[in-house]
Amino acid sequence: MTGANESISVAVFLSGGGRTLQNLLEHRDVHGLPIDVRLVISSRADVRGVQIAKDAGIETLVVRKKDHDDAEYCSAMFDPVRQSGADYVIMAGFLKHVLIPEDFEGRVINIHPSLLPAFGGPGMYGQHVHAAALKRGVKVSGCTVHFVDNHYDNGPIILQRTCDVFADDTPDTLAARVFEQECQALPDAIRTLRKIASS
């Protein structure tokens, strides 16, 4: 694992525009986030997240779930992670369900755009989450960084950050405010993991 003065090595799983990956790289380069992104795996080839990874010189793979059954898909996702030597996997806007192998239990983290357990589960991603929060009339929203298990949006919570919900919010305006919290929450969680790994 990680020594006291070393970066935490990660692989990133993504499915879209790569905003979370870009945020992590900016925190690494500008704010000294101790992270070594060794591998990016995307569920799609035609997304900006793939280009962000390639532009950053990160090894990048595309693994499509429809090409594998569940067991094969797990191996197709995690065998390259093992080969990369990454200690942790970060799900950064990753929209596919993949089984977590035993050797990665407690080593896969996800960021979700609500205060779990509220507004989690199958189908709860992106704007769906914020629309549901507004429909319910919540006054506070936010994001959750948690360890991933084999159930949607489950697993122990590492940390949460909150933001107010305003009467005139739309799913778009709320999403923007929650994403601001995500941009701080995930780096904070990585620093927490590094402390645990080096202790």
Side-chain angles (χ1 to χ4, degrees):
M1 283 291 190
T2 308
N5 297 314
E6 296 176 5
S7 297
I8 186 169
S9 58
V10 305
V12 174
F13 293 175
L14 56 80
S15 296
R19 291 191 307 165
T20 299
L21 171 63
Q22 188 168 41
N23 176 63
L24 289 176
L25 296 176
E26 288 175 358
H27 271 261
R28 180 196 67 186
D29 297 340
V30 178
H31 304 293
L33 182 68
I35 187 173
D36 174 14
V37 183
R38 298 192 177 183
L39 174 69
V40 168
I41 300 181
S42 176
S43 61
R44 294 171 54 189
D46 58 340
V47 293
R48 183 169 174 265
V50 169
Q51 193 60 51
I52 289 172
K54 289 181 176 178
D55 288 347
I58 301 168
E59 180 184 356
T60 306
L61 302 174
V62 175
V63 179
R64 301 188 305 173
K65 186 170 185 178
K66 66 182 181 181
D67 295 336
H68 306 276
D69 64 27
D70 283 349
E72 289 174 347
Y73 185 54
C74 176
S75 295
M77 294 296 291
F78 282 93
D79 282 350
V81 176
R82 295 183 183 101
Q83 293 164 12
S84 76
D87 290 330
Y88 289 90
V89 170
I90 297 173
M91 292 187 172
F94 183 67
L95 301 182
K96 302 298 182 181
H97 187 261
V98 60
L99 296 174
I100 308 301
E102 285 187 10
D103 60 325
F104 273 88
E105 290 177 2
R107 295 171 58 194
V108 181
I109 67 173
N110 180 53
I111 187 158
H112 184 78
S114 76
L115 299 175
L116 292 175
F119 311 112
M124 279 291 143
Y125 62 90
Q127 301 300 83
H128 301 289
V129 176
H130 306 299
L134 293 175
K135 183 177 181 180
R136 186 66 178 86
V138 300
K139 304 305 180 188
V140 176
S141 189
C143 61
T144 303
V145 184
H146 65 98
F147 288 109
V148 177
D149 59 19
N150 288 324
H151 303 280
Y152 279 101
D153 300 324
N154 199 49
I157 291 172
I158 300 170
L159 61 82
Q160 295 178 310
R161 288 180 64 94
T162 64
C163 63
D164 292 331
V165 179
F166 302 134
D168 60 349
D169 264 329
T170 66
D172 285 339
T173 61
L174 181 56
R177 201 174 308 112
V178 170
F179 186 69
E180 290 177 358
Q181 299 305 315
E182 292 181 45
C183 286
Q184 189 58 51
L186 191 52
D188 286 350
I190 289 167
R191 286 187 170 93
T192 297
L193 291 177
R194 181 176 174 272
K195 289 177 183 176
I196 294 170
S198 60
S199 62

